[in-house]
Amino acid sequence: MRNSVFYITSHLPKALLTLPLAVLLSSCLSSSDDEVGLENQVPSEPSVVVRGTSGSDQALMTSVKSRTLSIQILDAASLEPIEESVSLSFYAPDAAELAYLTNNEGDAFTNGQLIITDNGTTNVLIDSGFADQLSPISFRIQASASNYFAGGSSVVVEPALEDGQQIVTLKLVSKIISPTGVTVVSNTSHVATDGVLDSELVVETESGIGISLPANTTLTDIDGNLLSGNLHVEIAYFDPTEDSALDSFPGGFSVGSDTDMTDSSDGEGFFMTAGFLAVDIIDENNQKAHQLGTTADLVFRIPDDIINPETGEPVKIGDVIPVWSHNETTGQWGLHDQEGIVTEDDQGLYLSVQTDHLSYWNLDWHYSAKCMRQVNFTDLSGNLLTADQIPASGIIIKTEIEKNGARQRTSTGTLLDPENLINNTPNAEGFSFSITPSYGEIDGDTVIVSGSQETELVGYYTQCKEPMLVAIDVLAIPEPVSIKASAYITAPTDLTYWDVNELILKAYDKPRASALNEAQAEKRIQILNITHPNSNPENSSTWGGSYQVYNARSQPLVLSTTYQKFLDEDLFDRTEIATIQQILKTQYVLDGETFYYTYRTNTGHYSYGTATMINGEVEFSLPVNSAGTLYANIYGYINDPEDGPFNISSYLQQSITAEDITNGRIELAFENAVAIARIYQAIFNNNSVEQ
């Protein structure tokens, strides 16, 4: 990284520069210009931190350059990012493999790791030590959001020496507007009292697909808590003949080695489906039913044109289709102990299942004869593409399995490299596997290979020897558009409860509120009660106990009264508030740091990349001349000789207009109040302030 000189405006009294870090951080609570009569103490212009060195000739901030997983969470119908709170949890059959993933603070993931995003995209860092491994790691990501059915994705990450990105796309089905091929039915007429259902519950589609539960059934969530109050019941049936429904299959059709089989057979492999059903029963406290005190009946309809891959004939009365249930916590599929036997009534073929728990339920034929396949992109003459020839938007591939006339779309994904590996593809007599590429507005030719090829053992994985060669017309790829930007870190213009709470905890270097001592905890509660009334700061859970509390926590500060309340409660004096305002006007100009970005055009196309700032300036490419939204993250650590390295991350989401593209210039403000306060402190610890 380049060295930098930092300039702090001289308007700030020097005595204020020695305030304890706890005051600097736990006080960064607003960016209002309402200065409570402190006009003569607070500079009118921003404090801008610019290039230079620290007193020890050390770069103040070092950028973390790493491979990243760029995770997108999309609405399955609109394919727009879900810009509300989405919880992502991570689970691996071998928990040690998750240790190669790190959060924004550099801590290794563990099973059940939870991160929350509210903008439809997030990045996860892959530890550089993973490049030394011989074999891939595999894990699952589970996603949940209010008014959506839960979903997920299975992920395989290959070792790689160079920096780069891997794209993971999760598509969640809305309970309000569902995609083609997904039928959603809702019911709000039932109540649970101390967990007991008030009357018989029947929720079904017009064709009779759905669930029935007898009255007096006891409903408990996954932790054993009784549901209570008004119940929201939603079912979603996914038609196996519709690609948009198949694209939303939870976890994808590739399943892991921990798939729960009823015998000793290999669980790792893939599914071919005859349809799947989701059932959600949620009470007014957002508790979701999992265990049932009695047996529920689930009914599936079998479309007339579904081919049984075992026979090569349409499904008929008496055919057996295995039934599977999905663990929404771990993403694991398990084989149900009841056989699914197809029968018929006056509406056609159907299958009935009895169960004592709720989840996704799936009719699937499971196959474990598989291999990992290498997919190489070439030009039309068969020459392997270089990394520079891969478009910034990547190459989208659609894959399909065929067996005995039964066809199924299995996945849609984005690849960013000339050479790639795809896990769990079929490799047995009677199967074929195909890939159709698309890039920009162009669909390439479909490549089909036999499902029976020679294999070799690579690390722990069985790999087909012959790579699939997928031709790309590089001359048809649109030229990218270049845009320049200035970039800096600054404090956000509004802070939620979680932002303020994090600032307080960071101030005391504590991971959670319960770790604070009595005096610190009391001050935390006083501050949060001022910044976010009705947010119940005593409850440290994400939801805080109810939707009402969650909504209060989501609101930005009431800027017009915050500072005065601090004075009234004697939490801070006027001098300290002046310091708070000074810090919150600081901009740290980026120089040498790298950010990772995803760009979504308003027409639904994506591009991905990295960009490195030089003297606060950067130039990067957009895939087409189209307005859209930029999502970007920067990761790094602040070098502080007294407090040691401090990991930070900053994020931005910014609209790019047609005018911006025409002008060729934008301004990028990465918002992070904790980072600004830490930078401020490190400057003083490095004796690098110039008056």
Side-chain angles (χ1 to χ4, degrees):
M1 169 178 172
R2 294 188 172 193
N3 293 327
S4 316
V5 177
F6 300 91
Y7 299 89
I8 300 296
T9 172
S10 60
H11 292 275
L12 192 63
K14 193 157 187 172
L16 300 187
L17 305 184
T18 60
L19 279 174
L21 180 60
V23 172
L24 295 179
L25 287 177
S26 66
S27 308
C28 292
L29 301 171
S30 172
S31 58
S32 170
D33 288 329
D34 181 358
E35 296 171 351
V36 202
L38 302 175
E39 296 85 352
N40 296 326
Q41 300 183 43
V42 181
S44 58
E45 73 276 10
S47 288
V48 180
V49 184
V50 294
R51 301 187 328 272
T53 62
S54 66
S56 59
D57 198 33
Q58 181 184 27
L60 184 68
M61 179 176 168
T62 302
S63 181
V64 173
K65 297 183 180 180
S66 172
R67 287 189 69 197
T68 61
L69 290 179
S70 293
I71 304 171
Q72 301 166 354
I73 309 99
L74 307 181
D75 182 289
S78 67
L79 300 183
E80 296 278 348
I82 298 176
E83 295 187 350
E84 61 179 73
S85 181
V86 179
S87 297
L88 301 175
S89 59
F90 294 73
Y91 180 86
D94 180 356
E97 293 188 345
L98 278 184
Y100 290 111
L101 306 182
T102 62
N103 62 19
N104 295 342
E105 297 179 354
D107 300 324
F109 277 25
T110 57
N111 262 342
Q113 184 78 35
L114 181 69
I115 60 177
I116 296 175
T117 177
D118 59 5
N119 47 58
T121 182
T122 189
N123 288 331
V124 172
L125 302 181
I126 302 172
D127 188 273
S128 58
F130 178 53
D132 299 327
Q133 301 304 302
L134 297 177
S135 299
I137 58 173
S138 59
F139 55 91
R140 293 186 289 270
I141 305 173
Q142 298 299 109
S144 60
S146 177
N147 293 319
Y148 283 85
F149 290 97
S153 178
S154 297
V155 181
V156 176
V157 180
E158 292 293 322
L161 295 176
E162 68 277 2
D163 300 339
Q165 287 178 293
Q166 181 170 332
I167 311 304
V168 178
T169 301
L170 309 178
K171 296 179 182 178
L172 303 187
V173 171
S174 169
K175 296 176 179 179
I176 301 171
I177 302 176
S178 59
T180 302
V182 180
T183 303
V184 175
V185 179
S186 300
N187 181 292
T188 58
S189 63
H190 290 274
V191 174
T193 303
D194 294 328
V196 178
L197 183 64
D198 62 339
S199 59
E200 182 185 20
L201 182 153
V202 178
V203 182
E204 59 186 12
T205 68
E206 292 181 359
S207 61
I209 300 168
I211 181 174
S212 60
L213 265 175
N216 300 317
T217 296
T218 301
L219 307 173
T220 57
D221 68 11
I222 198 167
D223 296 319
N225 301 308
L226 296 170
L227 271 65
S228 182
N230 296 321
L231 300 177
H232 295 262
V233 185
E234 287 101 2
I235 66 169
Y237 170 69
F238 296 72
D239 186 339
T241 66
E242 291 284 352
D243 287 348
S244 55
L246 296 176
D247 281 345
S248 305
F249 188 82
F253 290 100
S254 174
V255 292
S257 58
D258 64 336
T259 300
D260 188 6
M261 312 293 288
T262 55
D263 55 26
S264 60
S265 58
D266 185 3
E268 186 174 25
F270 53 92
F271 283 148
M272 297 187 74
T273 188
F276 47 107
L277 179 69
V279 180
D280 279 357
I281 301 178
I282 300 174
D283 71 7
E284 60 191 33
N285 297 313
N286 202 41
Q287 295 182 129
K288 185 174 181 179
H290 175 71
Q291 200 66 35
L292 308 175
T294 187
T295 300
D297 287 322
L298 305 177
V299 174
F300 296 80
R301 290 289 169 187
I302 311 298
D304 294 337
D305 49 359
I306 287 292
I307 302 296
N308 185 335
E310 294 295 290
T311 65
E313 301 291 336
V315 172
K316 62 182 185 303
I317 296 173
D319 280 359
V320 176
I321 307 177
V323 180
W324 306 77
S325 66
H326 183 252
N327 185 318
E328 292 183 8
T329 301
T330 67
Q332 180 185 26
W333 284 102
L335 182 60
H336 192 42
D337 55 10
Q338 174 193 345
E339 282 190 332
I341 301 176
V342 178
T343 187
E344 188 175 23
D345 62 12
D346 56 1
Q347 295 191 69
L349 298 175
Y350 75 95
L351 188 153
S352 180
V353 178
Q354 287 70 51
T355 179
D356 62 0
H357 69 279
L358 299 181
S359 70
Y360 271 101
W361 287 87
N362 182 25
L363 307 181
D364 271 301
W365 294 274
H366 174 273
Y367 299 97
S368 58
K370 77 282 182 184
C371 72
M372 182 174 283
R373 291 183 189 272
Q374 184 167 336
V375 177
N376 294 347
F377 293 120
T378 71
D379 60 23
L380 298 183
S381 299
N383 302 305
L384 184 67
L385 297 187
T386 65
D388 292 341
Q389 290 175 301
I390 301 292
S393 55
I395 297 173
I396 299 172
I397 63 166
K398 298 177 181 179
T399 63
E400 184 178 271
I401 293 172
E402 189 273 336
K403 183 179 189 293
N404 290 334
R407 296 180 178 275
Q408 179 179 291
R409 265 272 301 283
T410 52
S411 69
T412 302
T414 302
L415 302 179
L416 300 174
D417 300 307
E419 298 176 274
N420 308 271
L421 289 172
I422 301 179
N423 195 36
N424 281 3
T425 66
N427 193 48
E429 287 291 340
F431 281 98
S432 67
F433 179 69
S434 67
I435 291 178
T436 304
S438 62
Y439 36 101
E441 304 289 344
I442 304 162
D443 289 328
D445 293 333
T446 298
V447 178
I448 304 174
V449 295
S450 165
S452 180
Q453 294 188 5
E454 291 186 18
T455 61
E456 58 185 347
L457 191 64
V458 179
Y460 296 103
Y461 289 82
T462 300
Q463 184 171 322
C464 286
K465 287 185 176 182
E466 291 296 322
M468 293 183 68
L469 303 180
V470 180
I472 303 297
D473 184 357
V474 293
L475 297 179
I477 298 173
E479 286 292 325
V481 176
S482 180
I483 193 166
K484 294 181 179 180
S486 58
Y488 54 87
I489 298 177
T490 188
T493 56
D494 53 19
L495 297 176
T496 66
Y497 164 97
W498 299 287
D499 294 325
V500 177
N501 192 52
E502 183 184 20
L503 284 166
I504 298 169
L505 298 179
K506 296 293 186 193
Y508 300 113
D509 293 320
K510 302 296 184 183
R512 57 186 66 87
S514 60
L516 298 174
N517 66 37
E518 184 175 348
Q520 293 166 345
E522 182 180 355
K523 187 168 185 177
R524 166 186 173 269
I525 290 174
Q526 286 179 291
I527 292 171
L528 290 170
N529 276 329
I530 288 176
T531 62
H532 291 84
N534 305 313
S535 64
N536 187 17
E538 292 87 348
N539 188 324
S540 60
S541 70
T542 299
W543 285 89
S546 71
Y547 273 117
Q548 291 78 10
V549 170
Y550 181 85
N551 290 335
R553 293 180 174 189
S554 302
Q555 299 303 310
L557 297 176
V558 181
L559 299 178
S560 60
T561 59
T562 298
Y563 289 134
Q564 187 61 55
K565 286 183 179 179
F566 285 154
L567 291 173
D568 294 342
E569 296 292 331
D570 199 27
L571 283 169
F572 306 104
D573 61 28
R574 289 175 177 268
T575 300
E576 291 169 335
I577 290 176
T579 304
I580 295 169
Q581 293 175 320
Q582 175 69 54
I583 293 172
L584 291 170
K585 290 180 178 180
T586 297
Q587 295 177 356
Y588 173 62
V589 176
L590 295 165
D591 184 22
E593 289 83 12
T594 298
F595 70 80
Y596 300 81
Y597 69 87
T598 298
Y599 183 71
R600 184 186 189 278
T601 70
N602 292 338
T603 56
H605 293 93
Y606 285 85
S607 64
Y608 315 90
T610 62
T612 300
M613 279 69 71
I614 300 176
N615 188 20
E617 296 286 324
V618 66
E619 184 171 357
F620 58 100
S621 297
L622 304 181
V624 289
N625 191 9
S626 177
T629 304
L630 180 72
Y631 307 88
N633 291 80
I634 185 169
Y635 305 96
Y637 57 89
I638 297 167
N639 301 302
D640 191 318
E642 292 189 15
D643 297 329
F646 180 80
N647 289 288
I648 66 165
S649 68
S650 294
Y651 168 81
L652 70 80
Q653 175 181 337
Q654 185 166 321
S655 296
I656 308 296
T657 67
E659 183 179 1
D660 291 332
I661 295 173
T662 300
N663 294 336
R665 172 166 287 278
I666 56 176
E667 182 176 292
L668 303 177
F670 290 86
E671 296 185 343
N672 188 319
V674 172
I676 284 296
R678 285 285 186 175
I679 287 169
Y680 214 78
Q681 184 73 21
I683 292 171
F684 307 139
N685 289 343
N686 278 291
N687 297 318
S688 60
V689 179
E690 295 192 2
Q691 296 293 337

